[in-house]
Amino acid sequence: MSLGDTLHLTEEQKMLREMVRDFALSKIKPIAAEIDEHERFPEEIFAEMGELGLLGIPYPEEYGGAGMDTVSYTLAVEEVAKVCGSTALGLAAHISLGCGPIYLFGTEEQKKKYLPDLCAGKHMGGFGLTEPQAGSDAGATQTTCVDQGDHYLLNGTKIYCTNGSYSKTYIVSAISEKGKGTKGISCFIVERDWDGFELGKKERKLGVRGSDTVMLHFNDVKVPKENLLGKPGDGFKQMLITLDGGRISIGAMSLGLAEGAYEETLKYTTGRKAFNQTIADFQATQFKIADMLVNIEAARHLIMDAARRKDAKQPFSREAAMAKLFASEMAARVTSQAIQLHGGYGYVREYPVERMFRDNKLCEIGEGTSEIQRLVIARSALKEWKTA
């Protein structure tokens, strides 16, 4: 039985998974090491994914999407992450963060203007939330967008924008009404070619090195009134809802990285011999393999539960946090054990498990650290208990 065969997927979901798996193995895996080594964003891969409809999987066909669901989206991220964490992160950030807010909170005019090109992969979508002084405390944002009558004036800096150098549209949070705290934050759709907008430095990272991460600078950028997303003051709530959905895909990315490391470990331990038997014949190895598999399958079920709740329009915030927390920390354990079972070979770049280990660290930080996930989970549990 292959990993994930007990998911009770529809035929359409199975077909998508096989298609993405074939694409990942034939097109992405052969260049994954090169992408990492040279910190290269694989534009050609994203162009092909756009042609295949993978950049708009969960969005309706009327907006250029594939008209599929969250489960299908997570399956795609998982399959890509098995071979390349950098590409998986670019895919996940584009769909969840670059497109998601427009679909969830945009007007019909905004959806029709921006989503078709995003879903087709004509350009990527970016997300500007984090600032030098506002990370986990997203409400501490200092970027401002002041009402000037016929437009807004945007000033500030955002950091860690995934896909930033290759995006043409960005979802940006900013203070639109001072003195109101988080209720004074709004979100805007910002276009790259507007005067006063500049890309900042590109970050050099421990892992997901082929994923583009840059700073965004806004200096008196004129934002048309029609580019306000939703209502003034709704931005903070919009960001939290967006991150809830994004956490499911980050969980799927961790799952894929763990699966990739697990499969590499099986291949290595069944082929490598020591003391006249394969490494896989040793009980100590078998215990590690068993733990890896149990952790992978447990994470899979948490992720699928959160995705199916989202598709059924049921509350899923706590489930998404649980899936992201467990999957990211699980993948840290699994990729570490994969390196251990490879011995010295696991520590060198000739084998991919060290890259998978490095790539996963981002999943314990991005879209809410593990500590933030624990707060979300605990507060939800306590609220439920007190109102029971």
Side-chain angles (χ1 to χ4, degrees):
M1 180 181 292
S2 300
L3 291 172
D5 281 351
T6 60
L7 291 177
H8 307 293
L9 302 177
T10 66
E11 288 304 313
E12 185 180 36
Q13 289 165 347
K14 290 178 182 177
M15 289 174 62
L16 175 78
R17 183 176 65 177
E18 291 304 314
M19 185 266 282
V20 178
R21 181 177 295 169
D22 290 344
F23 178 80
L25 290 173
S26 63
K27 296 297 183 71
I28 304 175
K29 187 174 183 178
I31 62 171
E34 178 261 324
I35 289 172
D36 175 74
E37 181 69 25
H38 297 288
E39 303 184 25
R40 182 178 74 84
F41 183 83
E43 291 184 80
E44 74 282 9
I45 293 296
F46 281 92
E48 288 191 65
M49 288 198 290
E51 293 173 2
L52 291 171
L54 300 183
L55 298 185
I57 289 175
Y59 302 117
E61 294 179 8
E62 63 184 297
Y63 303 124
M68 300 184 76
D69 54 17
T70 308
V71 169
S72 302
Y73 166 42
T74 59
L75 293 171
V77 173
E78 175 191 350
E79 291 300 326
V80 173
K82 285 182 184 179
V83 301
C84 182
S86 293
T87 307
L89 179 60
L91 173 65
H94 171 79
I95 292 177
S96 290
L97 307 181
C99 301
I102 298 174
Y103 175 68
L104 291 171
F105 313 114
T107 63
E108 192 65 20
E109 290 74 17
Q110 288 171 340
K111 293 176 186 178
K112 289 180 177 178
K113 179 179 179 179
Y114 293 109
L115 286 178
D117 283 353
L118 287 165
C119 291
K122 292 184 179 180
H123 59 85
M124 305 296 289
F127 185 75
L129 173 62
T130 305
E131 299 182 8
Q133 302 301 322
S136 293
D137 183 8
T141 183
Q142 296 178 11
T143 297
T144 60
C145 205
V146 180
D147 192 335
Q148 298 293 301
D150 61 345
H151 65 274
Y152 291 96
L153 204 59
L154 179 64
N155 283 280
T157 294
K158 298 292 182 177
I159 60 175
Y160 304 148
C161 180
T162 303
N163 301 330
S165 301
Y166 301 89
S167 299
K168 290 187 178 179
T169 59
Y170 307 82
I171 308 302
V172 179
S173 64
I175 299 171
S176 58
E177 298 177 86
K178 291 184 178 180
K180 289 190 175 183
T182 58
K183 293 184 179 180
I185 295 175
S186 300
C187 285
F188 303 87
I189 304 172
V190 178
E191 297 183 19
R192 178 174 176 168
D193 59 359
W194 289 347
D195 290 341
F197 172 70
E198 295 182 4
L199 293 176
K201 72 169 183 175
K202 177 180 177 179
E203 303 292 351
R204 303 193 67 189
K205 308 183 298 292
L206 168 72
V208 288
R209 290 154 52 93
S211 171
D212 180 67
T213 309
V214 297
M215 299 179 73
L216 310 176
H217 299 296
F218 309 101
N219 184 23
D220 286 341
V221 177
K222 291 184 178 180
V223 180
K225 283 293 185 72
E226 61 266 26
N227 279 54
L228 171 69
L229 202 58
K231 298 178 181 178
D234 282 352
F236 188 73
K237 179 172 65 176
Q238 292 169 350
M239 289 288 182
L240 294 183
I241 293 171
T242 299
L243 291 173
D244 280 343
R247 285 166 184 162
I248 300 174
S249 60
I250 293 298
M253 178 177 160
S254 283
L255 175 62
L257 288 167
E259 286 180 286
Y262 171 77
E263 291 173 359
E264 290 292 334
T265 299
L266 291 180
K267 180 170 68 175
Y268 180 81
T269 58
T270 55
R272 172 79 170 181
K273 288 189 175 183
F275 305 103
N276 299 317
Q277 58 183 331
T278 68
I279 296 174
D281 289 326
F282 289 102
Q283 189 180 62
T285 300
Q286 293 172 5
F287 283 176
K288 285 183 170 61
I289 288 172
D291 287 342
M292 293 165 84
L293 182 56
V294 170
N295 274 273
I296 286 169
E297 292 302 332
R300 185 189 315 285
H301 286 279
L302 282 171
I303 293 163
M304 285 297 111
D305 178 57
R308 284 173 171 148
R309 284 174 179 269
K310 185 174 187 294
D311 286 334
K313 302 188 185 308
Q314 296 175 350
F316 68 93
S317 178
R318 181 171 69 183
E319 287 74 19
M322 290 167 63
K324 194 263 192 188
L325 171 65
F326 183 81
S328 61
E329 295 191 349
M330 171 278 297
R333 295 190 297 271
V334 168
T335 54
S336 178
Q337 288 294 354
I339 292 173
Q340 193 71 20
L341 287 172
H342 276 71
Y345 288 117
Y347 199 70
V348 298
R349 293 189 179 183
E350 181 181 351
Y351 289 77
V353 289
E354 63 84 28
R355 168 165 47 87
M356 295 166 175
F357 175 80
R358 288 187 287 106
D359 286 351
N360 181 72
K361 188 58 192 176
L362 180 278
C363 298
E364 296 180 272
I365 300 171
E367 299 205 32
T369 63
S370 291
E371 291 74 20
I372 291 295
Q373 305 314 311
R374 287 183 166 89
L375 285 176
V376 170
I377 296 162
R379 288 171 179 173
S380 172
L382 290 169
K383 181 180 179 181
E384 186 176 80
W385 172 258
K386 292 175 182 178
T387 57

